[in-house]
Amino acid sequence: MCQVTHLRPERSARRPVFSLTALALAMASLGSGSLHAAETSQASTAAAVEIDAINVTGQSVEQPTEHVVGYVAKRNMSATKTDTPITETPQSLSVVTSDEIRDRQSETLGQALSYTPGFTSSSTAFNRTADRFRIRGFGVESGTGGSLRDGLRLQNNSYDGIQEPYGLERVEVIRGAASVLYGQLSPGGMVNGVSKRPTETPFHELNMQVGSYDRKQLSADFSGPLAGSDTLSYRLTLLSRNSDTQQDYLNDDKFYIAPALTWRPNEDTSLTLLSFYQKTDTRFSATLPYQLVKGVGDGAFKIGRHDFVGEPDYDDMNGEMSTLGYEFQHHFNDNFTFNNKLRYYESDVKWNYLQIQPSAAAANLAASTGTLLRRYSDRRERARTWASDTNIESKWQLGSVEHTFLVGFDGYDTSYDSHNFRGTPNNTPSLDLTRYNYGQPVVVNKSRAADRGSQLDTLQKGVYFQDQIKFDDKWILLLGGRHDWADQQQTAHRDGAKASQDDEATTYRAGLVYVADNGLAPYISYSESFFPVSVAEVTGQTFAPTEGKQYEVGVRYQPKDSNMLLSAAVYELTQTNVLKLDPGTDQYRQTGEVRSRGLELEAKADVTSALSVIATYAYTDSRTTKSATAAEVGQRTDETPYHQAALWTSYDFVNWGIPQLTLGAGARYMGTTQASGMDSAMPAYTLFDAMARYQIDENWAVTVNASNLTDKRYAQCSFATCQYGDERTLLTSVNFNW
């Protein structure tokens, strides 16, 4: 009979109990590095006794939801839903800390993740309206379930809004198939933003920022125990911005507030309320036909990177996004932990814009004559979601084998109501590119028969299990499985036509890691994903979910007690049941297959006490391997370079006698990319960034940031349309902490 031994989970107690002697030693050592004590004998001795110096060194255990000093995170929750060292995780992942976000003054997730391997995003002009990325060549966004907040999918519509980086403690990127724990996902992976949470140590922060395009921004972050309570702590994060952009008539105004409250009656129980409200006022940056883009097209007329092709009096995009939820955790004993999350999400977006008529004939007309044909898009989109995740984590031991077993249930109840009215060149005024004749009225037909929108209700449920098996203190075997049910019900506003679709899927994952004494941790893994094909329009067609399968081999290196993490991985990732338009029938068929193979390298390290480095490289070969259109077979995936590299360094001049000064510099290389519908590949380019921070005193600091320092002109293209990349941006920030 096997003997079962219970393991005590490693977690820091909220109020550790020290003896008075230990507390005195620690406090004295922190203050002076040595302790002198004198004992007086009442009976006979009055001599002082000197105790030898005692150096007390210690390092708190990193918590995967708390602040990390510097760039190197060592633990994560996203990949396993348990507090797991990254070196024991058999899947490629990256963590961007709030210190890294702060140093580069990232205003979008795309900017925050720009030094992450295998990751690409559109320009800021586009990403201020949607968190839309590619990972390993596959689209990852809110519309594919890939945008998460605190382990729950945040949105189901691409244009609900974006996550505010200032409200995040870290961003975790999981690369590759990950449906076993999260259900419906793109095979490329997911991006999980971790909210700032209440702290038990008080701190207060105020920031003022000015910069390019008349940018003015105020932000604040306050946290600590509530006055008069030893069980309640709070967090309040705020941001208000008023700014123009590099594009004429396109603003970037935002208000963000995120209150949070934690109740911790004892070390075993905690309840955290998390919420945020976000209001944005901007305009949609419409994509441009490649024929009209400078440096890409060859026509007589071009649209510059500052030019606005809409109508200033018509174009508008106002959105509100809000969430309210909680995270509850209770340790029944040293072996069992109960976790429950619940969140309500709501968004309301009013979205009017003029876009360029997409036909090749219209683009060629504009390029040759300067007459730009446009069509209006008048939209109102509302979404709401109830999201929940409940699991039980148990730790136990059979003989010499340790188990961390997780079983759980999650679900999403989502409603998406859209009203979409689209014009034609016949009822939308054209634009003269020789003089930009703004001020023309736009008359929108909002009859029911013209409404292209619908009411879409989805219900997704899933049960999952995972076992992290550790044996010989070196080997970790991870096994997991999941079964999902996904139901969609849709009603067209135009005519009341209905469509429904029910899907089920079972997915698996497995991985093996060996953690050596010298810090090397090689691993091998297999994982799967699935994603139901959305009923975008009520056509009577139904499709099977797309499926993803990934094989990955990698190695990590983290020497003991070092602040360094080196990672390398090779993979093959395939998505099947991809929808492809059959040109013979003008109908969609699930004959498509996309395969991605690649190599990813990442290094994050505090090389010395003064020098920190981030270095990444990715080789990605992503292409169509099966299609209803023969010409597409072998074609590279859009916006996915073969080669991608980045380097960021920061240096504190403490060894030069200027401890107040920190300089940072970075370079981002993007190799050639392919765009569907274009004969030639987009050229490679390199962008340079810089940062300088001066700590005036313990409270005040001034930081200057430059993005695209050399003002490199480049364009990003896909599906025969392009956007200009971000031009040089300068920001000055004043920070006050107390």
Side-chain angles (χ1 to χ4, degrees):
M1 180 179 294
C2 295
Q3 183 179 1
V4 178
T5 304
H6 297 303
L7 299 178
R8 183 176 182 86
E10 296 181 359
R11 66 177 190 273
S12 58
R14 179 173 178 267
R15 300 183 189 85
V17 180
F18 302 97
S19 68
L20 292 178
T21 303
L23 180 61
L25 290 171
M27 293 180 63
S29 68
L30 290 173
S32 64
S34 64
L35 174 68
H36 295 277
E39 296 182 351
T40 304
S41 171
Q42 295 180 350
S44 59
T45 310
V49 178
E50 183 175 311
I51 300 176
D52 293 337
I54 302 173
N55 294 320
V56 178
T57 60
Q59 185 175 4
S60 60
V61 178
E62 176 187 320
Q63 302 298 313
T65 58
E66 296 180 357
H67 176 69
V68 174
V69 178
Y71 301 157
V72 186
K74 299 180 180 180
R75 310 182 74 86
N76 85 102
M77 289 283 290
S78 298
T80 61
K81 287 189 178 180
T82 64
D83 183 0
T84 302
I86 294 177
T87 53
E88 297 183 7
T89 305
Q91 186 162 359
S92 186
L93 66 97
S94 296
V95 178
V96 176
T97 67
S98 56
D99 279 4
E100 186 177 341
I101 294 172
R102 175 208 61 192
D103 282 358
R104 294 200 295 271
Q105 291 296 317
S106 303
E107 65 177 88
T108 67
L109 285 186
Q111 290 182 340
L113 299 172
S114 59
Y115 286 77
T116 301
F119 176 94
T120 60
S121 68
S122 302
S123 66
T124 304
F126 187 85
N127 279 339
R128 69 170 55 92
T129 59
D131 286 327
R132 208 171 199 178
F133 320 117
R134 285 192 179 274
I135 301 177
R136 294 182 169 176
F138 295 91
V140 174
E141 54 159 315
S142 53
T144 61
S147 178
L148 287 81
R149 183 73 165 246
D150 300 316
L152 295 172
R153 291 204 300 275
L154 185 63
Q155 307 148 269
N156 75 321
N157 176 36
S158 298
Y159 298 100
D160 286 346
I162 67 172
Q163 296 197 56
E164 170 55 51
Y166 187 70
L168 302 177
E169 201 66 79
R170 62 167 69 190
V171 185
E172 299 181 340
V173 179
I174 307 300
R175 289 185 286 275
S179 284
V180 166
L181 292 179
Y182 296 97
Q184 306 174 29
L185 285 178
S186 161
M190 62 181 225
V191 177
N192 182 37
V194 179
S195 299
K196 290 180 175 178
R197 285 163 166 78
T199 65
E200 296 183 356
T201 302
F203 77 87
H204 312 84
E205 175 183 272
L206 289 174
N207 304 279
M208 181 182 69
Q209 188 179 91
V210 295
S212 302
Y213 318 117
D214 198 26
R215 180 187 180 96
K216 298 177 286 292
Q217 178 175 293
L218 293 174
S219 58
D221 193 9
F222 307 126
S223 187
L226 283 180
S229 176
D230 61 354
T231 61
L232 294 171
S233 52
Y234 80 99
R235 188 78 174 256
L236 181 62
T237 308
L238 306 104
L239 180 144
S240 179
R241 177 169 68 240
N242 185 277
S243 179
D244 295 329
T245 66
Q246 72 181 50
Q247 200 168 350
D248 295 340
Y249 302 104
L250 204 157
N251 60 313
D252 179 24
D253 302 339
K254 174 182 277 191
F255 175 76
Y256 174 88
I257 181 171
L261 182 70
T262 292
W263 177 57
R264 195 183 301 272
N266 53 63
E267 67 179 48
D268 291 321
T269 305
S270 67
L271 175 66
T272 298
L273 301 179
L274 295 169
S275 65
F276 73 78
Y277 169 80
Q278 177 175 294
K279 181 177 178 62
T280 57
D281 181 6
T282 184
R283 287 176 171 146
F284 183 69
S285 178
T287 56
L288 307 176
Y290 75 91
Q291 299 95 325
L292 300 173
V293 175
K294 292 182 178 180
V296 181
D298 56 3
F301 294 89
K302 300 288 192 302
I303 297 172
R305 59 178 174 174
H306 296 164
D307 297 335
F308 182 65
V309 299
E311 282 291 336
D313 294 333
Y314 173 75
D315 285 49
D316 198 20
M317 189 172 188
N318 287 290
E320 293 181 275
M321 183 193 308
S322 57
T323 69
L324 176 62
Y326 68 81
E327 295 182 354
F328 176 77
Q329 183 179 80
H330 179 69
H331 302 285
F332 289 101
N333 50 44
D334 293 340
N335 313 100
F336 291 93
T337 300
F338 174 80
N339 299 285
N340 174 245
K341 300 178 181 180
L342 179 67
R343 180 170 68 216
Y344 177 75
Y345 167 87
E346 186 174 271
S347 71
D348 189 349
V349 182
K350 185 180 180 182
W351 183 16
N352 307 323
Y353 65 99
L354 295 188
Q355 63 181 149
I356 299 173
Q357 176 65 22
S359 69
N364 292 328
L365 176 68
S368 60
T369 68
T371 299
L372 186 69
L373 301 181
R374 302 179 295 180
R375 66 183 187 186
Y376 65 75
S377 185
D378 198 291
R379 306 170 70 161
R380 180 74 178 272
E381 300 176 345
R382 299 181 178 93
R384 62 103 182 132
T385 299
W386 284 98
S388 68
D389 185 11
T390 303
N391 60 63
I392 294 178
E393 177 186 340
S394 62
K395 294 177 179 285
W396 43 279
Q397 184 167 322
L398 286 172
S400 61
V401 180
E402 302 174 6
H403 293 260
T404 300
F405 190 80
L406 188 75
V407 61
F409 171 85
D410 60 21
Y412 296 87
D413 185 351
T414 299
S415 174
Y416 170 54
D417 183 30
S418 66
H419 294 270
N420 184 358
F421 304 91
R422 181 176 294 175
T424 68
N426 296 327
N427 61 10
T428 306
S430 61
L431 187 69
D432 187 348
L433 298 181
T434 65
R435 57 189 182 97
Y436 284 86
N437 53 326
Y438 300 127
Q440 303 178 77
V442 179
V443 181
V444 179
N445 176 14
K446 288 192 176 183
S447 66
R448 180 177 178 181
D451 194 344
R452 298 164 51 90
S454 64
Q455 173 75 38
L456 178 62
D457 298 310
T458 62
L459 180 63
Q460 182 262 317
K461 299 168 290 184
V463 292
Y464 59 87
F465 79 92
Q466 176 183 269
D467 196 6
Q468 296 166 269
I469 308 168
K470 191 172 194 177
F471 48 97
D472 293 337
D473 288 328
K474 304 290 186 188
W475 295 92
I476 299 98
L477 174 65
L478 184 147
L479 301 173
R482 179 187 182 97
H483 190 80
D484 275 285
W485 299 264
D487 303 327
Q488 299 183 75
Q489 306 289 331
Q490 187 177 29
T491 303
H493 291 315
R494 178 164 40 201
D495 54 9
K498 298 182 181 295
S500 63
Q501 187 167 321
D502 299 333
D503 296 299
E504 291 186 45
T506 302
T507 50
Y508 300 97
R509 74 184 297 197
L512 182 65
V513 185
Y514 178 78
V515 183
D517 292 334
N518 61 1
L520 282 172
Y523 69 87
I524 185 171
S525 67
Y526 169 80
S527 57
E528 297 179 346
S529 71
F530 97 105
F531 187 78
V533 177
S534 178
V535 189
E537 293 188 24
V538 183
T539 62
Q541 290 180 281
T542 59
F543 305 98
T546 66
E547 297 178 352
K549 300 181 185 297
Q550 176 174 275
Y551 301 89
E552 182 173 297
V553 178
V555 62
R556 294 187 176 95
Y557 178 61
Q558 187 174 74
K560 188 178 180 180
D561 299 326
S562 71
N563 208 31
M564 171 191 297
L565 182 60
L566 311 181
S567 305
V570 294
Y571 65 89
E572 179 179 279
L573 175 58
T574 303
Q575 183 183 31
T576 57
N577 292 337
V578 179
L579 279 183
K580 292 292 182 179
L581 184 66
D582 188 337
T585 63
D586 200 31
Q587 296 282 324
Y588 281 100
R589 295 169 54 194
Q590 283 189 298
T591 60
E593 180 182 275
V594 179
R595 186 199 66 210
S596 178
R597 294 172 174 169
L599 163 70
E600 294 166 348
L601 306 175
E602 182 176 41
K604 291 192 173 185
D606 292 330
V607 181
T608 68
S609 59
L611 177 64
S612 297
V613 174
I614 300 173
T616 64
Y617 169 79
Y619 171 80
T620 310
D621 181 6
S622 179
R623 60 184 66 245
T624 299
T625 50
K626 295 180 182 179
S627 175
T629 305
E632 292 183 349
V633 177
Q635 183 174 306
R636 292 171 59 188
T637 301
D638 287 41
E639 300 180 280
T640 305
Y642 281 133
H643 302 281
Q644 178 187 359
L647 175 66
W648 173 267
T649 64
S650 65
Y651 186 78
D652 297 330
F653 281 76
V654 62
N655 297 325
W656 295 71
I658 319 175
Q660 305 92 335
L661 179 64
T662 301
L663 296 181
R668 293 172 281 147
Y669 171 79
M670 186 70 66
T672 61
T673 57
Q674 191 64 49
S676 303
M678 297 175 57
D679 296 331
S680 60
M682 298 301 299
Y685 57 88
T686 302
L687 307 178
F688 298 94
D689 308 315
M691 178 270 289
R693 180 170 58 247
Y694 191 82
Q695 192 73 37
I696 300 173
D697 55 32
E698 63 179 7
N699 302 115
W700 291 92
V702 178
T703 306
V704 178
N705 289 86
S707 179
N708 189 6
L709 186 63
T710 63
D711 201 23
K712 173 69 175 180
R713 184 187 295 269
Y714 65 101
Q716 300 170 308
C717 302
S718 64
F719 305 107
T721 62
C722 302
Q723 287 186 316
Y724 287 105
D726 299 328
E727 59 185 13
R728 178 172 54 230
T729 303
L730 301 176
L731 298 174
T732 300
S733 306
V734 179
N735 178 267
F736 179 62
N737 285 277
W738 74 98

